[in-house]
Amino acid sequence: MQALVLEQHEGKTQAAVKALDSAALPAGNVTVDVSWSGINYKDALAITGKGKIIRQFPMVPGIDFAGTIHHSEDPRFHVGQSVLLTGWGVGESHWGGLAQQARVNGDWLVPMPEGLDARKAMIIGTAGLTAMLCVMALEDGGLTPASGEVLVTGASGGVGSTAVTLLSALGYRVAAVSGRESTHSLLKQLGATTLLSRDEFTQETRPLEKQQWAGAIDTVGDKVLASVLARINYSGVVAACGLAGGFALPTTVMPFILRNVRLQGVDSVSVTTARRIEAWKRLVKTLPASFYQQVTREVPLTGAIEAAQKLLRNENTGRTLVKIA
Ligand code: NDP
């Protein structure tokens, strides 16, 4: 089988597509023939070695994949069944989806939701699942479309573009923050009603600024998240899932203790299976058919390394799919 393999030489990560024997696959009770995977931010960090994502080498990256069951010792899955996987440390500490086969623990698999196929599932991918989990976090915090406009940062990325689309489809007014003017027409097509420059969020922020948004989905962190928190309405909710701009959070307690603002962290790696299944159902129901054309570009397995480099240079928008079979 062909796989993207990461090795480390003299402290540097080297990535190359290689032929591997399936016998080398890690332990697991289900083997999947992978047809589609994708390049998420974490994959890009792993493949380029720019983030300490991988601790054991050699590693096959790919934190998500979709395909069909090749062999199963788990009674819940049968040969030929269509499945998807996101998270659980796959592509980080267990060989992942950027390969023709993956052997995993059946507990990590999700049966393909009705209404999706492998390609569509990976257009959504970890990024889209995370966007839905963020929307659900806002709803858990009491937000409704009547609460007011919702802000999305890193709006043109995988998580951001799906978040804009979902919020708009659910009837929210959406303000999209992007560092690139070239993304504005895509963001408008996805449903953003207000477009804002990232520069507005990287200036020095006072602990409290003018209240502007009922809620926010933040994929960026650092100064941008601090600036968002200072501008959220009284009793607003912020779902924070990313660190594309950095992992620091230079803020104060003021938004929380004077404006009743709620900051909800969102993790997609270890979220319960029940919540994943609920999120996938809602993604299928909510995303318009046009979404699957608007946010996607495809590369072969041999194009994954370049796609990862481009993602970290912030040259991609939406989702990059990797066609495996
Ligand atoms: P993408 O690269 O597709 O999107 C990130 C976006 O952030 C870019 O498109 C860009 O948007 C913006 N951005 C990029 N660099 C910077 C920067 N230096 N400062 C500020 N903004 C920047 O990544 P994903 O959408 O896949 O992931 C986004 C974040 O969410 C990542 O940090 C990722 O690790 C995290 N994540 C977390 C998950 C979880 O379970 N918590 C799951 C999935 C992702 P624009 O050009 O429009 O400004």
Side-chain angles (χ1 to χ4, degrees):
M1 65 166 201
Q2 294 291 308
L4 181 61
V5 181
L6 304 181
E7 285 170 345
Q8 204 168 43
H9 296 290
E10 293 169 359
K12 287 207 168 126
T13 301
Q14 289 179 356
V17 175
K18 292 190 175 173
L20 291 182
D21 190 334
S22 305
L25 285 167
N29 57 356
V30 184
T31 307
V32 179
D33 289 324
V34 178
S35 44
W36 293 93
S37 185
I39 303 292
N40 293 278
Y41 194 85
K42 203 185 258 178
D43 297 316
L45 290 176
I47 292 168
T48 58
K50 292 226 165 88
K52 281 215 162 55
I53 304 294
I54 311 291
R55 294 180 192 276
Q56 299 152 249
F57 295 86
M59 179 59 60
V60 174
I63 64 167
D64 50 21
F65 64 78
T68 51
I69 303 286
H70 177 85
H71 174 80
S72 174
E73 287 156 23
D74 183 326
R76 294 169 296 180
F77 299 101
H78 59 266
V79 172
Q81 184 178 351
S82 199
V83 291
L84 65 86
L85 182 147
T86 65
W88 298 118
V90 171
E92 297 182 64
S93 53
H94 186 99
W95 285 13
L98 288 166
Q100 287 176 314
Q101 283 193 330
R103 186 169 298 138
V104 297
N105 181 337
D107 291 342
W108 303 338
L109 291 168
V110 172
M112 187 61 67
E114 221 178 299
L116 285 186
D117 54 29
R119 185 172 180 279
K120 278 179 147 181
M122 282 302 105
I123 293 176
I124 298 170
T126 301
L129 174 69
T130 306
M132 189 71 239
L133 293 170
C134 287
V135 170
M136 287 158 66
L138 297 183
E139 292 170 347
D140 291 347
L143 210 77
T144 70
S147 309
E149 194 170 50
V150 177
L151 188 77
V152 177
T153 65
S156 74
V159 178
S161 59
T162 318
V164 168
T165 310
L166 287 170
L167 288 166
S168 165
L170 290 167
Y172 289 88
R173 278 185 294 119
V174 186
V177 182
S178 177
R180 295 173 283 175
E181 236 175 80
S182 57
T183 66
H184 286 188
S185 70
L186 171 70
L187 292 169
K188 271 191 210 153
Q189 283 172 39
L190 297 178
T193 37
T194 309
L195 295 161
L196 299 165
S197 157
R198 191 195 297 162
D199 289 346
E200 283 184 44
F201 294 80
T202 50
Q203 321 291 335
E204 231 21 72
T205 306
R206 288 177 297 176
L208 294 173
E209 300 277 358
K210 184 171 168 252
Q211 298 180 41
Q212 282 175 275
W213 301 286
I217 293 178
D218 177 64
T219 71
V220 171
D222 210 327
K223 279 185 180 168
V224 171
L225 177 53
S227 174
V228 169
L229 287 166
R231 303 201 228 171
I232 291 293
N233 293 352
Y234 191 89
S235 279
V237 196
V238 178
C241 70
L243 40 59
F247 62 78
L249 181 50
T251 187
T252 71
V253 296
M254 294 309 199
F256 311 111
I257 65 172
L258 295 182
R259 290 201 181 147
N260 216 42
V261 166
R262 179 191 296 215
L263 176 59
Q264 177 65 55
V266 172
D267 164 64
S268 68
V269 176
S270 306
V271 62
T272 63
T273 300
R275 195 148 170 101
R276 281 168 203 260
I277 288 175
E278 186 194 346
W280 279 105
K281 273 194 190 141
R282 289 200 56 195
L283 282 158
V284 177
K285 202 170 115 193
T286 314
L287 288 171
S290 54
F291 171 79
Y292 298 95
Q293 274 91 52
Q294 280 163 326
V295 300
T296 317
R297 121 187 26 82
E298 268 178 43
V299 296
L301 188 56
T302 48
I305 299 169
E306 196 194 342
Q309 291 162 343
K310 282 178 76 177
L311 186 140
L312 290 188
R313 290 199 302 265
N314 199 20
E315 289 172 12
N316 292 348
T317 54
R319 294 274 299 152
T320 302
L321 286 193
V322 183
K323 188 175 195 312
I324 308 281

